[in-house]
Amino acid sequence: MATADGLRLYLDALDPGGNFNSSGTTRVVCEHHEDWVALRDEDAELVSAKHPGLPFGAYSTLNSLADDGGVAHLFNRWLTMGEKPTCRLVTTAGASDRAHKLVEIAVTARQRRLDGEPFLPDPEQEELLTGFGRALLKHCDGLPQRWTSPNGGPPESIPTADHRQQIIRFLSIFTFQDSVPRKYAPYAAPAMFAQPVLDRLGSTAPAGSVWEAVLAVFRARMRAAGPTPIGGLPPVLADPVGAASPTPAVFEADLASRIVTLTDIDLAIRTAIANPTGFAPLPRLMRTSRLAIKMEVGGCTDNTVERAEQLRADYTDFWRDPLAADPSARTRQQRLHRLLLRISDAATDRVKKPAGRWGADLWRQLEADLDQHQDTLPVDMDADLALGGLCELSNRCKVWFSDSFDIASEQARRRPAEGAGS
């Protein structure tokens, strides 16, 4: 999401013809004060990103918004900086109940500020502001010492009317922003965030390559892995007697490894446009065996599929000589196959789900069941080799790791891609 902010700032610096104006001082400072800070000349916005995951739901209480949402920390940084920056919470979680009502107050207070009008809360809003003030007292470091009772009044009087006015000033510069869930961001980000910039530039380069190029810059800066002009040289005669306090320019130079400038973004974008394949995702291996296709459709990992293919090859080697030299070996193999099919049938009943993929669960269940049948397996055959037998049966379309489908059509679809990559 910091990368998305950087691309928006870059888009704002492009004229309608796609020409980049590099004369400003717009930049993003990563992991300093907050998750990142967007700066344009003298204006600053502190941004906190909270991605608790889809199961979290929504912030429903004022305490949850202040603590889990990180708004109390934003409030603390805003106070420390003299109430000058704006603040934004970027989150995948929504807001409901009292937290949602507070977000609505923030929207109204911001509009009143922009219109140059005072925000006069009604009794219900006053109660919400008081509740939020008490939530801040719990979760904002140092606030209990800052917010003292007037004239020695009881602590219950906090927050006072003056404190509530301070909260209103904060809410008037606070924005609650919905974010793309982390699970979907890699797929949605190129179209949502990089494509508008390419459209302005008039470029037909792949949006995914441009997104990856700019994202790589932000990943590095988030880890303070940007440029370090002095390397690892120690400070020498840094603060001699009579020296003045460091200037803002000196402080910013110390943060160079965390700063992303618009020039950095411009360079990354133009490099990706010139060399899109250098930033494209690595092509995925297209497997064409029936076993591999079935396991991938069932949701098995690449490592599981690789192991299954190896076990199947080992199983085939195990029977090669006996089948060629001993006429009774075919009967023993068929008996084993009947046992393996019975095991797979029972295991499927235990793990199959009406919705969602269950191939990985079946694989683990088959492993556990074969361990229990070690005594019934042929001599010199362990549970892993028997699992290879199930893999061979799957390759013959006797065992499935999902509901059955037209595997011949899927093989035909994959084979051209296999030939093109060879």
Side-chain angles (χ1 to χ4, degrees):
M1 294 312 298
T3 305
D5 275 16
L7 286 170
R8 174 56 192 266
L9 293 171
Y10 178 76
L11 182 66
D12 291 344
L14 296 175
D15 66 20
N19 299 304
F20 171 52
N21 179 10
S22 60
S23 61
T25 58
T26 304
R27 63 253 189 235
V28 177
V29 183
C30 300
E31 292 292 351
H32 185 66
H33 292 306
E34 264 300 339
D35 289 331
W36 65 90
V37 183
L39 296 162
R40 181 187 285 129
D41 300 327
E42 298 301 319
D43 295 324
E45 182 173 47
L46 310 182
V47 187
S48 177
K50 299 293 183 184
H51 292 71
L54 296 177
F56 179 83
Y59 304 108
S60 59
T61 67
L62 299 178
N63 277 316
S64 176
L65 188 64
D67 187 17
D68 298 328
V71 179
H73 187 258
L74 276 174
F75 185 77
N76 193 23
R77 303 310 301 161
W78 175 74
L79 287 179
T80 301
M81 297 181 186
E83 303 188 8
K84 293 180 180 179
T86 57
C87 300
R88 177 157 45 102
L89 171 62
V90 180
T91 180
T92 53
S96 64
D97 298 335
R98 286 168 65 79
H100 177 67
K101 291 180 180 179
L102 189 76
V103 170
E104 289 182 328
I105 290 177
V107 173
T108 303
R110 180 170 62 253
Q111 190 58 53
R112 292 286 194 278
R113 174 176 63 84
L114 295 175
D115 293 340
E117 299 175 357
F119 173 67
L120 303 175
D122 59 32
E124 181 183 2
Q125 292 171 331
E126 286 277 10
E127 190 273 331
L128 274 171
L129 293 170
T130 298
F132 185 57
R134 289 172 180 161
L136 291 174
L137 284 167
K138 292 180 185 177
H139 304 292
C140 182
D141 294 339
L143 189 58
Q145 287 72 41
R146 285 183 175 137
W147 279 9
T148 56
S149 302
N151 301 321
E156 303 85 66
S157 62
I158 303 175
T160 64
D162 288 341
H163 297 143
R164 287 192 293 273
Q165 284 300 312
Q166 190 175 54
I167 293 173
I168 291 172
R169 291 197 299 275
F170 170 75
L171 292 176
S172 73
I173 56 84
F174 170 74
T175 302
F176 184 95
Q177 177 190 338
D178 293 332
S179 170
V180 181
R182 188 187 303 271
K183 180 179 179 180
Y184 306 117
Y187 309 101
M192 292 178 65
F193 307 135
Q195 191 60 52
V197 173
L198 289 170
D199 293 342
R200 178 72 62 85
L201 293 172
S203 172
T204 58
S209 297
V210 171
W211 170 255
E212 288 296 331
V214 181
L215 180 63
V217 175
F218 275 86
R219 280 201 181 110
R221 300 300 196 272
M222 283 289 182
R223 300 181 177 97
T228 51
I230 63 171
L233 293 172
V236 179
L237 294 174
D239 300 301
V241 175
S245 298
T247 64
V250 172
F251 281 126
E252 183 148 323
D254 291 339
L255 290 171
S257 62
R258 296 188 176 277
I259 293 176
V260 181
T261 66
L262 293 191
T263 302
D264 293 330
I265 296 174
D266 181 68
L267 178 61
I269 290 173
R270 297 190 186 279
T271 302
I273 290 174
N275 305 279
T277 57
F279 297 93
L282 293 175
R284 180 170 173 78
L285 175 65
M286 296 291 284
R287 299 182 176 89
T288 56
S289 74
R290 289 186 291 270
L291 171 63
I293 292 173
K294 288 179 178 182
M295 296 186 75
E296 287 179 354
V297 170
C300 296
T301 66
D302 289 341
N303 285 344
T304 300
V305 176
E306 293 289 353
R307 179 176 170 226
E309 292 280 25
Q310 182 61 54
L311 291 176
R312 175 182 163 235
D314 293 343
Y315 179 82
T316 302
D317 289 343
F318 176 86
W319 285 104
R320 181 174 288 111
D321 291 341
L323 289 174
D326 184 359
S328 66
R330 180 70 60 185
T331 301
R332 298 196 303 275
Q333 186 189 57
Q334 290 174 345
R335 185 184 303 118
L336 172 63
H337 285 177
R338 289 193 294 271
L339 171 64
L340 295 177
L341 288 172
R342 178 158 57 87
I343 292 172
S344 72
D345 184 24
T348 302
D349 282 343
R350 284 194 287 272
V351 304
K352 186 175 180 179
K353 302 173 183 175
R357 298 196 290 182
W358 43 269
D361 293 337
L362 177 60
W363 178 261
R364 297 305 173 200
Q365 186 65 53
L366 290 173
E367 284 185 309
D369 291 350
L370 286 171
D371 285 338
Q372 299 299 317
H373 285 81
Q374 181 66 60
D375 294 341
T376 62
L377 298 177
V379 179
D380 296 333
M381 177 174 288
D382 58 18
D384 275 351
L385 202 53
L387 188 58
L390 280 166
C391 294
E392 173 60 23
L393 290 170
S394 179
N395 202 57
R396 299 181 190 179
C397 289
K398 304 294 184 183
V399 175
W400 295 81
F401 290 84
S402 65
D403 291 333
S404 60
F405 56 93
D406 186 351
I407 196 164
S409 296
E410 180 62 14
Q411 281 185 305
R413 184 188 71 82
R414 294 186 181 207
R415 277 174 180 149
E418 180 187 40
S422 61

